[in-house]
């Protein structure tokens, strides 16, 4: 588990389906609920999405690193376990030095939902993670998160932006 600016995430190599399966198991998360993939460099977006439009790049330039997740058409290499079988992948670049360094040092991208049991409050401190999740191998202690609520999630299709989950970035911010 590692801190982001929003909440603590429970992470695994997004290209390792066995590791991703452990996330679902530990969280008791239903397999129909896709995960967000975290990146540390805009170039990693191209490994995940087969369509990186000018609108996507403008949103990334303005809001990344930060609490905005974009749902985009996925590359075939992205496993169905990450996307719950959907043809899209959710991607964000967190604005936290520990998260960015962890992703960069891992040499991959990290699938990471919030580090809590499914349906419970999302953790904003490393102690919240250790209270809820007993089977996590490592918890990086980063104190309290600065935003404290999940990222906003938007889909970007044919230049149109649709808010799928409200969060720290508002519709007014996007406008």
């Amino acid at each position: 588990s590692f801190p982001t600016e929003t909440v603590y995430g429970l992470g695994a190599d997004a290209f390792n389906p066995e590791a991703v399966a452990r996330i679902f198991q530990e969280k008791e998360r239903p397999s129909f609920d896709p995960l967000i993939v975290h990146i540390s460099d805009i170039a990693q977006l191209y490994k995940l999405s087969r369509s990186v439009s000018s609108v996507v790049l403008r949103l990334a330039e303005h809001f990344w690193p930060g609490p905005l997740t974009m749902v985009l058409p996925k590359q075939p290499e992205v496993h169905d376990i990450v996307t719950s079988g959907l043809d899209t992948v959710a991607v964000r670049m967190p604005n936290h030095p520990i998260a960015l360094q962890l992703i960069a040092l891992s040499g991959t991208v990290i699938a990471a939902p919030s580090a809590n049991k499914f349906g419970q409050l999302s953790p904003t401190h490393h102690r919240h993670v250790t209270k809820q999740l007993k089977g996590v191998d490592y918890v990086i202690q980063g104190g309290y998160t600065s935003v404290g609520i999940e990222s906003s999630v938007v889909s970007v299709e044919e230049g149109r932006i649709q808010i799928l989950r409200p969060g720290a970035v508002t519709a007014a911010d996007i406008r």
Side-chain angles (χ1 to χ4, degrees):
S1 177
F2 62 97
T4 73
E5 78 283 17
T6 57
V7 299
Y8 273 72
L10 181 60
D13 176 352
F15 291 107
N16 180 332
E18 292 82 17
V20 173
R22 284 198 59 209
I23 291 174
F24 285 93
Q25 179 182 8
E26 182 62 32
K27 282 183 60 72
E28 300 171 2
R29 182 181 179 107
S31 62
F32 60 77
D33 198 3
L35 305 179
I36 296 173
V37 179
H38 294 66
I39 64 175
S40 61
D41 185 287
I42 196 72
Q44 293 169 316
L45 188 55
Y46 296 92
K47 292 172 67 173
L48 297 166
S49 176
R50 66 179 187 277
S51 177
V52 180
S53 68
S54 61
V55 173
V56 169
L57 292 175
R58 284 180 59 207
L59 286 169
E61 181 180 299
H62 190 77
F63 293 107
W64 282 358
L68 181 71
T69 297
M70 289 188 267
V71 177
L72 306 168
K74 77 172 185 171
Q75 288 283 12
E77 296 79 19
V78 179
H79 293 278
D80 282 346
I81 191 169
V82 173
T83 65
S84 297
L86 299 173
D87 194 36
T88 55
V89 62
V91 183
R92 96 174 184 98
M93 184 186 299
N95 189 14
H96 193 289
I98 292 173
L100 291 171
Q101 188 174 16
L102 175 69
I103 299 163
L105 290 173
S106 75
T108 189
V109 294
I110 297 179
S114 55
N116 58 308
K117 291 290 185 189
F118 186 75
Q120 300 297 312
L121 286 176
S122 297
T124 56
H125 192 276
H126 57 264
R127 283 190 296 259
H128 303 156
V129 176
T130 56
K131 280 183 184 175
Q132 283 192 51
L133 302 179
K134 304 301 181 196
V136 175
D137 293 334
Y138 302 98
V139 177
I140 298 173
Q141 297 182 5
Y144 283 99
T145 62
S146 59
V147 175
I149 60 169
E150 282 85 359
S151 64
S152 301
V153 179
V154 300
S155 68
V156 183
E157 283 186 60
E158 299 173 10
R160 289 189 23 231
I161 302 165
Q162 179 183 3
I163 296 175
L164 303 176
R165 178 179 77 186
V169 175
T170 66
D173 295 332
I174 293 170
R175 267 190 233 98

